[in-house]
Amino acid sequence: MRPRSIAVIGASAEPFSLGNNVMANLAAFGYEGEILPVSRRFESIDGIACIRSVADLPEGIDLAALVVPAAAVRQTIAECAAAGVGAAVIFASGFAELGTAGAEEQAEITRIARAAGMAVLGPNCLGFTNYVAGVPVTFERMQPVALTKAGVAVVAQSGAMTGNIRDALRSRGLPVAYAISTGNEAVLSAEEVLTGLLDDPAVATFAAFVEQIRDPAAFLDFAKRAWQRGKPVVLMHPGRSQRSREAAQSHTGAMVGDHEVMEAFVRSSAVTLVDSFDELFDTTLLRHRYPSARIRGLGVVTNSGAVRGFCLDFCEEIGLALPDLRPMTSQALSGILPDFATIDNPLDITAMGMSKPNLFGDSCAAMLADDSVDALLVAAMGGAPKQVLAKWESLKPVLASSDKPVALAFLGDELPMSDAFMADVRAAGVPFFRSPERAMRAFAGIARFREARQFPAAALAASGEAEALAEYRGKRRLERAGFGIPRGALARDADEAVRIASEIGYPVALKVQSAAIVHKTDVGGVRLGIANEAALREAFASVAMSVAAATADAGPDGMLVEEMAPRPDLEMVVSARRDPSWGAVLVAGLGGVLTELLDDVALVPAGSPRSDIEVALRSLRGARLFDGYRGSSALDVEAVVDLLDRLGRLILEDGDISEVEINPIAVYAKGDGVRILDVLMSVRAPVAGDPA
């Protein structure tokens, strides 16, 4: 990022050619290091003598900017390596993003660069601009911007997104310290670049757009260290849909993994994750201005009853709390506002704010003094230019001096604000919006921000091929680990089934047992509520016949005879599994068809605090069932949390287990616990001598 010498390979004197743009940028920024244009076509460029070939470069150049076509990149990188060049930026596209042949060519570039110890940005990238030291290594025409304070480091794999984020943040008055496009990441990854900027005093905040995090462990380590240094990280990571994942593959050559697992780990690592460009720009604005903000409840001040009603609806939709005001706050506001004003949150100061603009500042001061209000939004009609300035003069001393996060939204869409007003707002450091919903979404993103009490634990994936265990073997393994399971045993014939049932008592359940049969009910392999010996013998014969007719299985291990659990108040599915990239994760959802029908699951890294597990459970769309719904009993959520917590510790401690799914668990009324009904466990290899 701070080269003392730059070779521009493919430099050009042709105006606005890529090779000329790189040279022009270096001149515009007043780059003080040595510039060595490499060109066979031109004798000199802007008074700088050209060098005929890479081989003619002096030994030990810090950085080479490769403005050459894709077909020439591999040879040029090899020549740079031979010349002892320390680093390179490859702008050309046509590599891993295009498929197998391009990926193979890119792999060769990686091999050459790594063998030479050469840092490489790209290929298929826009390059970088270091505004701190005045180093623009990009073919996009740039102009220098003086930095007077620490700014934002923008890192994106996409070149277009690098420019988009950089320009959007600067348009909001945010200083940008670095704008770096990593492209296909043949050598340097986004997480390595981010880590390299961690201790830079010119960087206060990170804004990242990535389509794949190639080294999750390195990214989580970066997030942890950024948190420790008080430098917020705002991340946008597309890839929820299958089509989005396919687009990422064609765009940057990324092999995108499980987006939901990524989201669980990233959110648990003090990273503010956003879903849209507006949220990325707006949340970065707020996080940069208020890096240590923790928001539970938002206060809103407006001069419109319609805006008040909208805020009530919108905040409920996005899950942003609007807390009730403390009695002392209500009393203070009653002394400020007219008698006909309704004292509430959101607070409508009424049209009196037009004739008495001091009502804005006085009301905001009272709201900010309320300890239930963690942040404040002023969402109002600004009016004519003089009215805008009058409102601002009232608001400025209150908002600019606030220790709590604040934002100002003057409605009116793109109706221009005066340059003097905008300059004063930015100088005061007050985040400004033209729509209240964008401000509220940004506040909601910070409200969802999870303070990292502990970072997710890494869990090595089980080595070798995973193999599923039959239910009874999985249950025995859980039992040895201290989990409670229903009484029962494996029967290999009807007589043995009758003996087991007589020991545990009727009614019983009968389930076929085979690692090859995942969905027992699909093959007629389950009978429930068997009341006596005769019914058990009939069921045993019937299940055996159904399974034989429906499967090609050489023969099940036998039948599990098990005590019947009481009818549950709710069925859920919970699991612990190892993601090969991120580590062990816990998954929970409502049982039966609801999980698939509603696509309603919650994820949290294994080893997370119990409080985080409960937060994840309560994020389920059906979570209202936990506290009783339409006369039903409140459920034993604590027992579900306990089960998930223990599953997480099990998979972290037992490296042999790849996945444990309990589907379903029976959840009972508060205080009555849960029951494990069915288990599917996958392990590195079946353990010899596992008891039946």
Side-chain angles (χ1 to χ4, degrees):
M1 294 295 127
R2 297 172 182 265
R4 295 160 298 182
S5 53
I6 301 175
V8 182
I9 303 172
S12 173
E14 283 187 25
F16 300 105
S17 65
L18 300 189
N20 184 254
N21 286 353
V22 175
M23 295 290 293
N25 284 333
L26 293 170
F29 276 65
Y31 173 68
E32 296 180 352
E34 185 180 12
I35 302 174
L36 301 97
V38 178
S39 174
R40 295 183 184 278
R41 291 179 57 198
F42 300 97
E43 293 294 326
S44 67
I45 300 172
D46 296 332
I48 304 174
C50 292
I51 295 171
R52 296 287 294 169
S53 69
V54 176
D56 296 328
L57 286 171
E59 182 76 18
I61 298 299
D62 280 350
L63 176 66
L66 273 62
V67 196
V68 300
V73 167
R74 191 206 309 188
Q75 179 181 339
T76 306
I77 283 291
E79 292 171 350
C80 286
V85 174
V89 176
I90 304 174
F91 301 123
S93 59
F95 295 93
E97 77 277 10
L98 294 186
T100 303
E104 291 174 352
E105 187 69 8
Q106 182 172 309
E108 277 300 299
I109 294 168
T110 304
R111 182 189 62 77
I112 294 167
R114 291 198 185 283
M118 184 189 305
V120 173
L121 201 63
N124 188 26
C125 78
L126 193 67
F128 72 88
T129 303
N130 176 347
Y131 291 96
V132 182
V135 185
V137 183
T138 176
F139 57 82
E140 180 187 21
R141 281 293 183 112
M142 304 296 298
Q143 290 298 321
V145 179
L147 288 180
T148 59
K149 55 185 177 181
V152 182
V154 175
V155 177
Q157 288 161 337
S158 162
M161 287 305 101
T162 305
N164 179 34
I165 300 166
R166 175 201 64 216
D167 292 347
L169 296 182
R170 288 180 56 193
S171 76
R172 306 296 297 275
L174 280 179
V176 173
Y178 296 88
I180 304 169
S181 163
T182 59
N184 286 13
E185 302 183 349
V187 177
L188 287 175
S189 65
E191 49 270 23
E192 288 176 304
V193 171
L194 289 164
T195 300
L197 298 174
L198 263 173
D199 293 318
D200 193 317
V203 176
T205 308
F206 294 93
F209 179 99
V210 297
E211 292 152 285
Q212 183 195 15
I213 296 173
R214 299 176 192 273
D215 187 344
F219 182 85
L220 294 178
D221 181 66
F222 154 74
K224 178 178 181 179
R225 293 164 64 189
W227 165 256
Q228 292 168 340
R229 287 158 176 76
K231 298 187 177 187
V233 181
V234 183
L235 171 68
M236 183 174 174
H237 188 314
R240 277 197 178 87
S241 69
Q242 179 60 35
R243 292 188 66 181
S244 176
R245 290 191 288 272
E246 291 168 356
Q249 171 64 23
S250 62
H251 184 202
T252 63
M255 297 297 291
V256 180
D258 189 328
H259 191 278
E260 289 180 322
V261 174
M262 175 281 302
E263 186 172 338
F265 275 83
V266 164
R267 286 196 188 280
S268 296
S269 299
V271 173
T272 306
L273 194 62
V274 298
D275 296 326
S276 71
F277 292 124
D278 285 350
E279 286 182 80
L280 178 60
F281 309 148
D282 300 340
T283 306
T284 301
L285 174 65
L286 290 181
R287 295 290 284 138
H288 181 77
R289 177 66 179 83
Y290 307 104
S292 59
R294 306 290 179 268
I295 298 174
R296 295 157 299 176
L298 176 71
V300 179
V301 173
T302 183
N303 59 351
S304 164
V307 171
R308 178 180 182 275
F310 166 77
C311 291
L312 286 166
D313 289 343
F314 192 71
C315 285
E316 181 174 318
E317 178 185 326
I318 63 176
L320 180 59
L322 295 168
D324 294 333
L325 300 177
R326 303 294 192 208
M328 289 184 62
T329 307
S330 298
Q331 183 178 355
L333 288 168
S334 296
I336 295 169
L337 298 174
D339 293 341
F340 53 85
T342 301
I343 308 302
D344 200 358
N345 181 30
L347 177 69
D348 175 12
I349 68 170
T350 77
M352 290 294 289
M354 183 177 295
S355 58
K356 296 182 178 180
N358 63 292
L359 294 181
F360 281 92
D362 293 345
S363 298
C364 288
M367 294 277 277
L368 285 167
D370 192 316
D371 60 10
S372 70
V373 174
D374 299 318
L376 182 70
L377 168 65
V378 180
M381 295 302 301
K386 286 186 178 180
Q387 292 177 326
V388 167
L389 289 175
K391 293 179 176 70
W392 170 239
E393 288 303 318
S394 171
L395 289 165
K396 178 180 175 180
V398 177
L399 300 185
S401 63
S402 172
D403 293 330
K404 296 180 179 179
V406 297
L408 172 61
F410 276 162
L411 284 69
D413 198 23
E414 295 184 6
L415 183 71
M417 296 277 116
S418 74
D419 291 343
F421 165 72
M422 290 304 304
D424 202 30
V425 170
R426 286 178 179 166
V430 176
F432 182 72
F433 296 83
R434 296 309 305 271
S435 77
E437 55 262 48
R438 285 187 61 167
M440 287 186 284
R441 281 197 187 278
F443 279 123
I446 297 176
R448 286 192 298 270
F449 168 79
R450 192 173 299 164
E451 185 173 343
R453 291 174 295 278
Q454 66 184 64
F455 278 75
L460 297 176
S463 59
E465 292 293 326
E467 186 171 342
L469 300 181
E471 175 192 359
Y472 74 100
R473 300 185 75 178
K475 282 183 171 176
R476 297 287 90 74
R477 192 149 179 165
L478 286 181
E479 186 177 39
R480 292 201 303 275
F483 289 76
I485 65 168
R487 291 181 301 149
L490 187 72
R492 292 175 175 79
D493 56 40
D495 290 339
E496 193 172 9
V498 169
R499 179 186 59 77
I500 295 168
S502 66
E503 291 175 358
I504 62 177
Y506 291 96
V508 296
L510 185 71
K511 294 181 279 186
V512 68
Q513 296 297 292
S514 170
I517 302 175
V518 177
H519 300 291
K520 304 179 189 70
T521 55
D522 291 351
V523 298
V526 177
R527 295 290 188 275
L528 302 177
I530 301 171
N532 52 50
E533 179 180 339
L536 178 56
R537 290 185 180 277
E538 185 279 329
F540 197 100
S542 176
V543 167
M545 186 178 299
S546 295
V547 170
T551 72
D553 195 293
D557 297 355
M559 307 279 186
L560 178 60
V561 182
E562 197 170 65
E563 65 177 329
M564 281 291 297
R567 182 181 179 86
D569 293 285
L570 178 70
E571 287 189 352
M572 293 187 67
V573 53
V574 300
S575 71
R577 68 180 179 88
R578 295 182 192 277
D579 181 87
S581 299
W582 291 93
V585 65
L586 302 173
V587 184
L590 300 183
V593 298
L594 291 178
T595 299
E596 294 182 15
L597 179 65
L598 301 179
D599 189 23
D600 189 19
V601 294
L603 287 80
V604 65
S608 294
R610 292 173 61 92
S611 57
D612 285 2
I613 296 173
E614 181 166 355
V615 167
L617 284 174
R618 292 192 177 277
S619 72
L620 292 167
R621 288 197 286 274
R624 283 188 294 175
L625 294 170
F626 295 151
D627 299 314
Y629 185 70
R630 291 193 174 181
S632 63
S633 301
L635 303 180
D636 203 335
V637 178
E638 187 175 344
V640 181
V641 171
D642 182 65
L643 178 60
L644 281 163
D645 180 39
R646 294 174 65 194
L647 278 177
R649 284 186 276 117
L650 174 66
I651 200 165
L652 288 173
E653 293 167 3
D654 189 339
D656 191 47
I657 297 176
S658 299
E659 181 174 7
V660 184
E661 179 179 285
I662 303 175
N663 185 13
I665 60 167
V667 184
Y668 297 99
K670 191 171 183 178
D672 292 338
V674 298
R675 296 275 188 100
I676 294 173
L677 300 185
D678 201 349
V679 173
L680 177 64
M681 182 181 290
S682 297
V683 297
R684 176 177 51 82
V687 178
D690 259 354

